Amino acid sequence: MNRRQFFKSSLVIGGSLAGVGTGAILFTESANRLDLNISTALQRLALLSNKNLVKTGEWDIYKIFMHCAQSVEYSMSEFPEHKSNFFKHTIGKLAFSIFESKGKMIHGLSESIPGSPLIKSSLDKKVALNHLQKSLIDFENYKGKLAPHFAYGELSKNEYEIAHVMHLYNHLEEIQSYKNLKRDG
């Protein structure tokens, strides 16, 4: 296969995958956009601190909290690896705009941040929860230049806040106690 055929095939396959993913996102239930702020996220995390947390997905609770904290921290420093600029300006930008418009993110919940160090499993959940809460507070108080997101590219502080909270809420869907809080409250 020559380069031109390869490029055309890649575009067709990539476009098809993006279309299928975008279709799945468009048909998901929208979330309350007023809940997409750090203050509300911290309140929800505080409610979880006294609950028996049970994972329903592949990652344990410690890993979920540390992964979410890692993402917040990278936005204030630098993500270790990035998608191509082409990806960030096309598929990444489109994905973020759809997530933001729906107020809800859907992504692979057992996918690490590209290039990030492996997070050990089965360590103290409370330590991880405290670390996550601190990273969110640090972000809220952060006044410096934000790093480009590895997939979405440049985001404003407000866009990053929304992205962080949507990311957190998506991961919290794999915690049984969080599902119960949402249902009961």
Side-chain angles (χ1 to χ4, degrees):
M1 180 182 305
N2 66 34
R3 285 176 42 192
R4 175 180 262 169
Q5 289 172 317
F6 176 77
F7 183 70
K8 284 181 181 178
S9 298
S10 297
L11 284 176
V12 169
I13 292 168
S16 298
L17 292 174
V20 170
T22 302
I25 293 165
L26 290 174
F27 290 110
T28 61
E29 181 181 320
S30 292
N32 184 350
R33 294 187 43 79
L34 297 175
D35 292 339
L36 298 180
N37 60 72
I38 289 176
S39 178
T40 302
L42 288 168
Q43 290 171 8
R44 290 183 180 185
L45 290 172
L47 290 173
L48 288 177
S49 67
N50 298 321
K51 301 285 183 195
N52 179 29
L53 304 179
V54 178
K55 74 174 187 125
T56 61
E58 187 176 324
W59 283 359
D60 65 32
I61 307 298
Y62 176 87
K63 192 168 185 174
I64 290 170
F65 289 157
M66 292 303 288
H67 166 79
C68 291
Q70 193 177 53
S71 179
V72 173
E73 291 164 349
Y74 284 149
S75 72
M76 295 180 283
S77 59
E78 182 178 11
F79 285 85
E81 288 181 15
H82 285 262
K83 301 280 188 182
S84 71
N85 283 332
F86 176 77
F87 182 94
K88 288 191 274 188
H89 287 90
T90 55
I91 296 169
K93 188 176 281 301
L94 175 63
F96 179 75
S97 68
I98 292 170
F99 293 153
E100 185 180 29
S101 72
K102 298 293 283 180
K104 187 172 184 172
M105 175 186 291
I106 297 174
H107 76 294
L109 296 175
S110 61
E111 294 176 10
S112 298
I113 296 168
S116 64
L118 181 66
I119 299 172
K120 296 181 192 267
S121 296
S122 301
L123 298 174
D124 189 340
K125 295 180 233 186
K126 186 71 169 168
V127 168
L129 178 59
N130 290 338
H131 186 92
L132 172 57
Q133 290 168 318
K134 182 183 180 320
S135 73
L136 289 167
I137 292 167
D138 289 349
F139 178 83
E140 194 169 41
N141 295 321
Y142 186 71
K143 304 286 186 228
K145 181 172 172 35
L146 295 166
H149 188 273
F150 77 93
Y152 306 143
E154 298 289 336
L155 296 177
S156 69
K157 184 157 186 187
N158 183 60
E159 289 170 326
Y160 247 128
E161 179 176 16
I162 291 167
H164 289 320
V165 174
M166 288 188 303
H167 181 237
L168 171 63
Y169 291 171
N170 190 201
H171 278 284
L172 291 180
E173 290 293 326
E174 288 197 322
I175 299 176
Q176 189 61 48
S177 299
Y178 178 73
K179 289 181 185 178
N180 293 342
L181 278 178
K182 278 182 61 181
R183 188 177 53 240
D184 298 340

